Structure formats: structure tokens, C-alpha cells
Amino acid sequence: MRAEGRDHGNVQTPDHDVKTQAPDDGYATVDDPDGYFGEAVADHYDETSAEMFAPETVDPAVALIAELAEQPEHKPRALEFGVGTGRIALPLARAGVPVHGIDMSRAMVERMRAKPGGDAIGVTIGDFATARADGEFTVAYLVFNTINNLLTQDAQVDCFRNAAAHLVPGGHFVVEVGVPALRSLPPGQDAVPFHVGPDRLGFDTYDVATQGMRSHHVRVVDGRATHRSIPFRYVWPAELDLMARLAGMRLRDRWEDWDRRPFTSDSTRHVSVWQKD
């Protein structure tokens, strides 16, 4: 998961354009100007999320987004909310779809810039719920639970409106996000583990009254443990559909994953596609 949002200014380099815009309310922010994904996290983000970079995870996502980017009378162009270190943006660009990203964390974006093809990805540094990128896009996408970084329902609604404002008529907005794991909570328990290993522990805590959750990451290095905690707001599929309707978009497809397996009552996540009216 990633959090976004930042400050004013413009910075340009010969090979790419980086713009910064102000953060808005409803964001997971801390004293670090890069939010929860500053230098300390960016330095080992790819390593700790290695399974998300595997071809069997990335390739189906890139294929689907590239397919949705094809629109009659418009050249394909993709906008990623929370572009991070380029896990999806870089292979999507290599597949022939120009990509622009919005992200808070300069530290994460710098890691993308250091990778082959990173200079070809334009970036706006800012809150993806409100920050605007130049031009129109045939597809906008938000992956790996990043919608949950917006801590209020209003901010999540703004995100959908922002996506719609960037899209051409008939364009698509794609969101990959987990289904809240409340079925795993017995009475009196508020924690659900998501990773247990010899040097890393991860668990989520839930506040079902507010749809608040917090992800806890414990790492053990050289016998010493460190703890990092990030707040989120979980959201239901039907709630997302209403947000889309408010933004002038309607649900086109919902699958369990990028391989387009059917979404069922037992699915733990979903990939949903809305189309702009």
C-alpha cells in the first residue's frame, strides 16, 4: 500500500516533467514530506514487496490495463494514481502505452527514475484525490490497495471524481483492492495477520465502527525489531460503485484478480473497472 499527497512547485528535467501540487484533507500524512513512504521505506520497498513484482503478478495487470487503454478516436494514454517505484508503469510503458503518474513520495519516484525507462514516465507530485495532470487519458488505474490510503469517504469520492475528470468519454478507471477481512474477526478480536516470517511480521487492526484500519509491519534486522504502522480506510465494492456513479462512471466489470477469475463471496480482493459515461 502507498500514501500520496504533497506541496506546490514545478520541477522539469530534459527527459521528464515532475510537477508538485498541494495535499488535501483526508490523507495519511506524517512529518516526513514524503508521507508514510519516505526514504526509509523506499529504500527497501521493492525488496519487501518482491512477490508483487513477479511476472505472474505484473503481466496480467499490464495486459488488462493496456487493453482498456485502447479507445476509439483516442491514442492510448494511462494515468497511475500512486505510481511509486514503477512496478506497473514501467512495463506498461514498455508495452507501448504512455504513462503519467501521480504520487506523493519523491523517494519512491526517485527509485523509479533509477530504473531503465524511468525517465520516460511523467510524474505529478501530489494528492491523487485532487492533483491534476496535463491532458486527457484513456485509462486511469489505482492498484495494490492504494485507494485505502485516503482516510475519509469524502477523499475517496474525490479520487473517483479526479479520475473521471482526467478520462476521455468512454475511458476506464481500474481499481485493485482487497475485500475487508472482517469475516476473519471473531468476537472481541480486532487483528488479522497477513504475513508471518522469521524476519518480518505483518498484521492489520480494524475499527469496524469507522471503517478504519491500520497495517503494522515488524521487521527484525540483526536481532533488532522495528515497528511501522500505517492508517487506512477500508472500502466495500458496493461503496466504490456508488462513488463511481457520483463521478459519472458505471461499473463495467469486476473480477477476483487480474486473470479475470469470477468475483465471488469468498474472494479476498477484486479488480473493478468503471467506464466514464
Side-chain angles (χ1 to χ4, degrees), residues 27 73 151 153 161 171 182 206:
Y27 243 86
E73 302 180 1
L151 299 184
Q153 187 180 71
R161 287 176 170 152
L182 302 191
Y206 289 85

Short mmCIF file of all heavy atoms in Angstrom, two decimals, residues 27 73 151 153 161 171 182 206:
data_model
loop_
_atom_site.label_atom_id
_atom_site.label_comp_id
_atom_site.label_asym_id
_atom_site.label_seq_id
_atom_site.Cartn_x
_atom_site.Cartn_y
_atom_site.Cartn_z
N TYR A 27 -5.90 12.63 4.05
CA TYR A 27 -4.73 11.88 3.62
C TYR A 27 -3.93 11.34 4.78
O TYR A 27 -3.89 11.92 5.85
CB TYR A 27 -3.82 12.78 2.76
CG TYR A 27 -3.72 12.23 1.40
CD1 TYR A 27 -4.66 12.54 0.44
CD2 TYR A 27 -2.73 11.31 1.08
CE1 TYR A 27 -4.59 11.99 -0.80
CE2 TYR A 27 -2.66 10.76 -0.16
CZ TYR A 27 -3.58 11.10 -1.10
OH TYR A 27 -3.51 10.54 -2.35
N GLU A 73 -10.79 6.64 -31.54
CA GLU A 73 -10.53 8.07 -31.79
C GLU A 73 -9.61 8.70 -30.76
O GLU A 73 -9.46 9.93 -30.74
CB GLU A 73 -11.86 8.84 -31.85
CG GLU A 73 -12.81 8.34 -32.93
CD GLU A 73 -14.11 9.13 -32.95
OE1 GLU A 73 -14.24 10.08 -32.15
OE2 GLU A 73 -14.98 8.77 -33.76
N LEU A 151 -8.13 8.51 3.78
CA LEU A 151 -8.64 8.14 5.10
C LEU A 151 -10.08 8.53 5.36
O LEU A 151 -10.61 8.23 6.43
CB LEU A 151 -7.75 8.75 6.18
CG LEU A 151 -6.28 8.29 6.16
CD1 LEU A 151 -5.52 8.89 7.34
CD2 LEU A 151 -6.18 6.78 6.17
N GLN A 153 -14.21 8.96 3.53
CA GLN A 153 -15.06 8.66 2.38
C GLN A 153 -15.05 9.81 1.39
O GLN A 153 -15.04 9.61 0.17
CB GLN A 153 -16.48 8.36 2.85
CG GLN A 153 -17.39 7.86 1.75
CD GLN A 153 -18.80 7.58 2.26
OE1 GLN A 153 -19.53 8.51 2.57
NE2 GLN A 153 -19.16 6.30 2.34
N ARG A 161 -13.82 11.24 -8.65
CA ARG A 161 -14.12 12.42 -9.46
C ARG A 161 -12.87 12.89 -10.20
O ARG A 161 -12.95 13.34 -11.35
CB ARG A 161 -14.68 13.52 -8.57
CG ARG A 161 -16.11 13.26 -8.12
CD ARG A 161 -16.62 14.32 -7.17
NE ARG A 161 -18.06 14.19 -6.93
CZ ARG A 161 -18.68 14.57 -5.83
NH1 ARG A 161 -17.98 15.09 -4.83
NH2 ARG A 161 -19.98 14.42 -5.70
N GLY A 171 -13.63 6.36 -21.38
CA GLY A 171 -12.42 5.90 -20.73
C GLY A 171 -12.72 5.08 -19.49
O GLY A 171 -13.85 5.09 -18.98
N LEU A 182 -13.24 -8.77 7.48
CA LEU A 182 -13.99 -8.79 8.73
C LEU A 182 -14.51 -10.18 9.07
O LEU A 182 -14.76 -10.49 10.24
CB LEU A 182 -15.16 -7.81 8.65
CG LEU A 182 -14.81 -6.34 8.37
CD1 LEU A 182 -16.02 -5.46 8.58
CD2 LEU A 182 -13.64 -5.87 9.23
N TYR A 206 -8.51 -3.53 12.86
CA TYR A 206 -9.72 -2.94 12.29
C TYR A 206 -10.53 -2.21 13.36
O TYR A 206 -10.63 -2.66 14.49
CB TYR A 206 -10.60 -4.04 11.68
CG TYR A 206 -10.05 -4.64 10.40
CD1 TYR A 206 -9.12 -5.67 10.46
CD2 TYR A 206 -10.46 -4.17 9.16
CE1 TYR A 206 -8.62 -6.23 9.28
CE2 TYR A 206 -9.97 -4.72 7.99
CZ TYR A 206 -9.04 -5.75 8.06
OH TYR A 206 -8.54 -6.30 6.90
#
